[in-house]
Amino acid sequence: MATYAAAKAALEPEIHEYLSDDEGEPFAFPEFREDWSNTIVVDNLPKIPIAKYDKLLGVLKRIFAQTGSLERLVMPSEAEKTLGVAFVEFASAEEAAKAIRLTDGYALDKSHVFKVCPYDQIAKLHALAETYAPPEKVPYSPSVNPCSWLGDALHRDQFAIRYNNET
């Protein structure tokens, strides 16, 4: 309470009329979940300017709404262009698996064919180390010769087959 009042007092007087006297509703972080099985990643989308963002978003929503109920569709952008990737969240993991099965390889146009995979697979790739560390070399140990029985000194490995008068 004291920190809110101190922060309010530090502001310019013109801003005071826009602030309320109470601190507002208490903030609670959204529930974190470890399960990303209902989220897919769509790669190889066109990298478009932000002006065309809504049109592409509408096209993607129409395509993925046919495979299941969409919870959220996000296309990240950077420097006024999209990055060519979208994250699609479905209501269930079954719908996400169905969307992967139906839209992987979908041709949006000649040069943009969807590459769709589960988010879990991308998360595994992100968890890899930045630098390559070769695996530890196992010292050589000779194995047992599988043909060692052929070297029998008493020649017990040699035999003859006779059939009628032929050997």
Side-chain angles (χ1 to χ4, degrees), residues 25-111:
E25 297 177 9
F27 178 77
F29 285 102
E31 183 181 331
F32 180 75
R33 60 171 197 198
E34 294 270 340
D35 181 32
W36 293 93
S37 60
N38 64 337
T39 306
I40 63 174
V41 179
V42 184
D43 198 10
N44 202 21
L45 294 175
K47 295 180 181 178
I48 58 167
I50 296 299
K52 297 181 181 180
Y53 181 88
D54 291 332
K55 184 175 181 180
L56 181 60
L57 189 66
V59 169
L60 291 176
K61 282 184 179 180
R62 196 168 48 245
I63 291 169
F64 287 104
Q66 296 173 4
T67 62
S69 59
L70 287 175
E71 294 284 318
R72 187 169 41 174
L73 194 150
V74 178
M75 283 191 307
S77 60
E78 187 175 86
E80 298 297 319
K81 286 190 105 174
T82 60
L83 297 177
V85 67
F87 300 96
V88 185
E89 186 178 343
F90 288 93
S92 69
E94 294 80 24
E95 290 177 349
K98 179 182 174 186
I100 291 170
R101 192 175 65 250
L102 294 177
T103 58
D104 190 27
Y106 181 86
L108 188 62
D109 57 24
K110 283 184 179 180
S111 59

Side-chain angles (χ1 to χ4, degrees), residues 1-9 19-23:
M1 197 87 140
T3 57
Y4 179 75
K8 186 175 179 182
L19 299 176
S20 64
D21 291 331
D22 66 346
E23 293 184 31

Side-chain angles (χ1 to χ4, degrees), residues 151-167:
D152 189 3
L154 298 175
H155 304 292
R156 290 177 283 202
D157 58 332
Q158 298 176 7
F159 59 92
I161 298 177
R162 288 190 65 92
Y163 178 73
N164 289 338
N165 291 334
E166 296 179 15
T167 301

